[in-house]
Amino acid sequence: MTLKEKPGQAKAIAEQPHGYEFLGPPGAFVISFGLPLLVYVFTFLCNDISGCPAPSLLHPSSLTLDQLKTEVGWTGFSGLLNTQAVLGTLGYYLLSLTLHAFLPADETEGTELRTGGKLKYRFNSFSSAVLIMVGLGAGTVMYGAEWPVWTFITENYVGILTTNILISYFLATYVYLRSFSVKHPKDPSARELAAGGHTGNILYDWFIGRELNPRITVPMFGEVDIKAWCELRPGMLGWIILDLAFIMKQYRNFGRVTDSILLITVAQAVYTFDALFMERAILTTIDIIADGFGMMLSFGDLVWVPFTYSIQARYLSVYPVDLGVQGILAVLAVQGTGYYIFRSVNNEKNRFRTDPTDPRVSHLEFIETAAGSKLLVSGWWGRARHINYLGDWFMSWSYVLPTALSGYVIQNAVQHPVTATQTDAFFFRNSYGTYVVPGEAKGWGMIFTYFFMVYFAVLLIHRERRDEEKCRRKYGKDWDKYCELVPWRIVPYVY
């Protein structure tokens, strides 16, 4: 489905009232200030000091704050940030910006703006990521798992997390304040306010994004589209870099790398590098076309994705799981099914949008709307209106299943000797007398490691509802007709 309007409709559509999403200002407050706390909760309560979850949580009746602080390694608020983490994170951002500006790039135009005209985009995320990966690989070959980049990440994990949270807050605030210089609705510089981002409520507009495509000209680096730049870098690639750092940590802890952590990392890397390779496809996503850039996207891109999507690798770096051949094949089957659906659906959409005469999509049936757009009613998109989300969700299973029935406790070997028959104990390479076993935590760790699968289902359903609302507002009766022809939302015959 395209989002191209006829010129005479532009202003009317841009000014059409949209109402609140995410439950309005209260929801914006909870997400903006609650989710960062949730990321900290995941970081501290599933740890490499006492267990996952922290042992005291398994006995709430006797839980004390002092004991919990000891178990999670809490050293006070000063321990949330340090100079090394700030400098290292900023250096990574600078590297990403440098590669964006100076590597050869594919320059293309985006979809037509509601107020007329098209913006140009510079895409080279894939080549930038490959270059960074080559550098990381070279360093690992030379210095192994002890390479300072890997140890820096794991030793300064909390500080890096805090730095990215602060950057996301800064960017959201900067673009919000700068948005008031937009000459709405017809800006000579092709700047535009997001249709749903100028409600007049400060908190909500700051959260949802007031300006649609905030851009800034940086000396030496040229013009940078902040939203498009954050969409796939540095957070998306940062997700995989964190996974790799945890693989190295597992090797340092145990002297080996398990199939489970490799499988998760490969699956997530395939998803990430596929997105980077198909970077132009973001121009047809709701994030670029309809959403402004505010705290929602800033935090989601830079914090939520890298630090919550890598929880499984972080878990396995402390408690190894061996899947074996059957386990690997089962997970790969789930991953392959999800990826096949995801890529096939999106390829069909992109081909139809860019060239409807392409032999691979020219046979597809569609309805033409009064707005001039064509809505597919056959092929993948004839099975369900948002069937692409089904492939996404299947792939999320492959990220969590390798952690098995998760949960572990870290114990002192002197106080809790390991018996010869205790086969589920794994010794740290530099353990200082500690070992990790499932113990009473077995199964409880799933709260952390399986969170992604549950959260992702909720996210996709919520995004599907947002898509439906936007399309119904745009296409009116044509959308109702389309829904009659394609009645299922995501899962054919189920939902």
Side-chain angles (χ1 to χ4, degrees):
M1 295 171 289
T2 67
L3 293 182
K4 180 178 178 181
E5 291 87 10
K6 293 181 179 179
Q9 298 173 319
K11 183 174 181 180
I13 293 175
E15 297 301 325
Q16 195 174 23
H18 282 242
Y20 288 133
E21 298 181 90
F22 300 96
L23 303 179
F29 178 84
V30 171
I31 295 173
S32 299
F33 301 101
L35 288 190
L37 292 178
L38 182 60
V39 180
Y40 281 125
V41 166
F42 286 153
T43 300
F44 284 106
L45 297 189
C46 182
N47 61 72
D48 60 358
I49 299 172
S50 60
C52 180
S56 292
L57 298 176
L58 302 176
H59 305 281
S61 60
S62 59
L63 174 66
T64 65
L65 184 59
D66 288 339
Q67 177 64 21
L68 186 60
K69 286 181 177 179
T70 300
E71 290 178 352
V72 303
W74 178 256
T75 57
F77 288 100
S78 61
L80 297 179
L81 192 64
N82 61 70
T83 303
Q84 293 85 354
V86 173
L87 294 177
T89 303
L90 292 178
Y92 171 62
Y93 274 67
L94 180 60
L95 172 62
S96 182
L97 184 61
T98 301
L99 296 177
H100 167 73
F102 297 108
L103 280 184
D106 175 21
E107 297 189 1
T108 186
E109 290 185 335
T111 57
E112 187 172 348
L113 300 172
R114 281 183 291 267
T115 52
K118 296 181 180 180
L119 295 175
K120 290 185 177 181
Y121 292 84
R122 180 180 174 83
F123 292 141
N124 62 8
S125 288
F126 183 78
S127 57
S128 298
V130 169
L131 190 59
I132 291 175
M133 286 294 117
V134 169
L136 293 174
T140 305
V141 169
M142 293 177 63
Y143 302 103
E146 300 289 345
W147 191 35
V149 169
W150 303 128
T151 57
F152 174 85
I153 290 173
T154 52
E155 291 172 3
N156 294 277
Y157 180 81
V158 174
I160 295 171
L161 166 61
T162 302
T163 304
N164 279 278
I165 291 175
L166 293 177
I167 290 174
S168 68
Y169 278 120
F170 169 78
L171 285 178
T173 304
Y174 171 77
V175 296
Y176 173 77
L177 295 175
R178 189 170 177 269
S179 70
F180 288 95
S181 63
V182 175
K183 295 177 175 59
H184 186 70
K186 189 67 176 178
D187 190 292
S189 301
R191 298 176 65 193
E192 184 175 305
L193 297 183
H198 52 109
T199 66
N201 183 281
I202 296 176
L203 173 62
Y204 181 81
D205 291 347
W206 171 79
F207 162 75
I208 204 72
R210 196 167 184 275
E211 186 172 352
L212 183 63
N213 301 294
R215 296 185 165 206
I216 184 174
T217 299
V218 183
M220 294 179 59
F221 297 98
E223 185 179 63
V224 179
D225 186 299
I226 298 176
K227 181 167 66 171
W229 187 76
C230 288
E231 187 78 5
L232 294 179
R233 56 168 137 195
M236 194 80 165
L237 181 61
W239 170 19
I240 305 305
I241 293 175
L242 287 176
D243 280 354
L244 295 175
F246 292 128
I247 287 178
M248 301 305 159
K249 179 178 178 179
Q250 186 188 71
Y251 185 80
R252 293 196 302 271
N253 284 339
F254 301 100
R256 67 191 183 96
V257 176
T258 60
D259 52 15
S260 57
I261 198 170
L262 288 175
L263 188 58
I264 284 178
T265 302
V266 169
Q268 294 178 346
V270 167
Y271 178 85
T272 295
F273 278 85
D274 176 81
L276 296 173
F277 186 76
M278 303 294 293
E279 186 177 15
R280 292 183 60 178
I282 69 172
L283 297 178
T284 62
T285 63
I286 190 174
D287 288 358
I288 299 297
I289 293 173
D291 289 335
F293 184 79
M295 182 59 183
M296 178 182 73
L297 288 181
S298 178
F299 176 80
D301 291 340
L302 305 180
V303 181
W304 188 256
V305 167
F307 292 95
T308 63
Y309 290 17
S310 60
I311 285 177
Q312 294 79 26
R314 182 165 66 87
Y315 170 88
L316 292 171
S317 72
V318 181
Y319 185 79
V321 173
D322 293 295
L323 297 174
V325 175
Q326 290 185 338
I328 292 174
L329 292 177
V331 174
L332 286 177
V334 174
Q335 166 73 6
T337 301
Y339 181 76
Y340 170 74
I341 296 174
F342 168 80
R343 180 44 54 208
S344 298
V345 171
N346 283 292
N347 279 346
E348 184 179 88
K349 175 188 67 174
N350 291 329
R351 287 166 183 158
F352 186 78
R353 282 180 171 177
T354 56
D355 182 13
T357 63
D358 187 318
R360 291 169 291 186
V361 295
S362 59
H363 64 285
L364 297 177
E365 299 177 3
F366 60 87
I367 62 172
E368 191 158 0
T369 68
S373 303
K374 297 175 182 178
L375 307 179
L376 289 171
V377 294
S378 67
W380 281 107
W381 295 92
R383 295 185 176 95
R385 302 195 292 273
H386 306 279
I387 197 169
N388 53 320
Y389 293 157
L390 180 61
D392 261 333
W393 192 50
F394 276 167
M395 282 191 285
S396 76
W397 292 20
S398 66
Y399 303 161
V400 305
L401 291 175
T403 64
L405 196 63
S406 53
Y408 60 79
V409 177
I410 297 177
Q411 297 178 337
N412 186 289
V414 175
Q415 298 175 348
H416 305 275
V418 182
T419 65
T421 59
Q422 196 168 359
T423 58
D424 57 0
F426 296 92
F427 283 90
F428 285 102
R429 183 183 180 189
N430 298 310
S431 61
Y432 301 102
T434 62
Y435 61 87
V436 54
V437 296
E440 61 182 353
K442 188 173 184 178
W444 289 104
M446 295 174 70
I447 295 173
F448 303 93
T449 62
Y450 283 71
F451 168 80
F452 176 75
M453 186 177 75
V454 178
Y455 148 77
F456 207 50
V458 174
L459 171 73
L460 293 175
I461 291 174
H462 179 266
R463 175 164 287 201
E464 173 265 324
R465 293 301 176 109
R466 293 183 72 211
D467 289 346
E468 287 279 317
E469 183 178 344
K470 291 178 185 297
C471 290
R472 180 164 283 105
R473 184 167 54 242
K474 177 178 176 58
Y475 300 116
K477 293 182 179 179
D478 289 326
W479 186 255
D480 294 332
K481 179 182 177 181
Y482 172 64
C483 291
E484 291 179 4
L485 295 172
V486 187
W488 304 106
R489 293 172 177 265
I490 298 177
V491 186
Y493 307 105
V494 178
Y495 173 73

